[in-house]
Amino acid sequence: GSAAWDSSSLLNSPFLYDITGQPITSIPDAYGTPGSTLANSPAFQGNLHARYQFSMGDYNPFVQFGGQHRAHSHTATGFANNYDVPAYSTYDAAVGVDKQAWTVQLQCENLADSHAATYVSNSESVLAITPIRPRTCGMNFHYRFTGN
C-alpha cells in the first residue's frame, strides 16, 4: 500500500497585466487567493492491496483485493474555470490459480462501478470531464516459457 498527504497552498497571486504592461488592479488575486489549495492537489491519496496465496497439491490458488481513494480537489487555483473534483474510491478483486508455468486469473476493477471524474475543464468553451474507468472484468491466461 501507499499513501500521500499534501498540504500545498498558493503563496502569492500576481496581477494580470494589460497590453501596455500596467497591472490590472481591478482584478485582485486573479490566480487565486493566497493560502488556497493548489490545482489538482488532493489532500490525500492512497491505496492498499492484499493477496493471499496457498497450495492445494500441485496448484497455487490465490485471492486478491485492493482499494484506492483520492480526496477532493480543484482544477485551478484561480476563480475562472475552477471546478470541483469530488473525492472517490474504487475497489478491485481477483481470483486465480497457477501451476508451474501457467496462471489463469479472473479480475474486476472498479467493482462498485463508481462514476467519478479525474479532471474537469472548459478550455475550449465545452465542459469536458475525464471520467475514471468503469467497472471492467476479464480473464487473463499467462504462460511462462523457459529456455535452456
Side-chain angles (χ1 to χ4, degrees):
S2 67
W5 284 269
D6 184 3
S7 63
S8 60
S9 62
L10 187 64
L11 296 178
N12 62 26
S13 185
F15 284 104
L16 294 175
Y17 292 87
D18 64 20
I19 59 172
T20 66
Q22 297 300 313
I24 303 173
T25 58
S26 62
I27 307 174
D29 299 327
Y31 296 102
T33 306
S36 61
T37 60
L38 296 181
N40 299 310
S41 297
F44 175 78
Q45 294 184 84
N47 68 70
L48 183 63
H49 295 270
R51 180 178 172 119
Y52 179 69
Q53 187 163 337
F54 53 98
S55 295
M56 291 180 70
D58 291 340
Y59 296 92
N60 298 304
F62 60 88
V63 293
Q64 182 173 302
F65 298 98
Q68 299 75 228
H69 179 76
R70 180 182 165 129
H72 160 272
S73 66
H74 293 279
T75 60
T77 54
F79 303 107
N81 301 327
N82 187 356
Y83 295 96
D84 180 60
V85 180
Y88 66 89
S89 297
T90 60
Y91 306 96
D92 309 323
V95 61
V97 64
D98 66 34
K99 180 181 178 186
Q100 296 175 348
W102 64 266
T103 303
V104 65
Q105 172 179 299
L106 298 170
Q107 85 272 340
C108 279
E109 297 173 357
N110 192 3
L111 280 170
D113 200 20
S114 296
H115 299 281
T118 59
Y119 189 72
V120 181
S121 171
N122 76 347
S123 62
E124 296 181 17
S125 300
V126 174
L127 184 62
I129 299 172
T130 305
I132 63 172
R133 196 170 177 180
R135 180 187 307 127
T136 306
C137 298
M139 183 176 88
N140 291 334
F141 178 77
H142 178 82
Y143 186 84
R144 293 175 296 280
F145 294 95
T146 58
N148 294 348

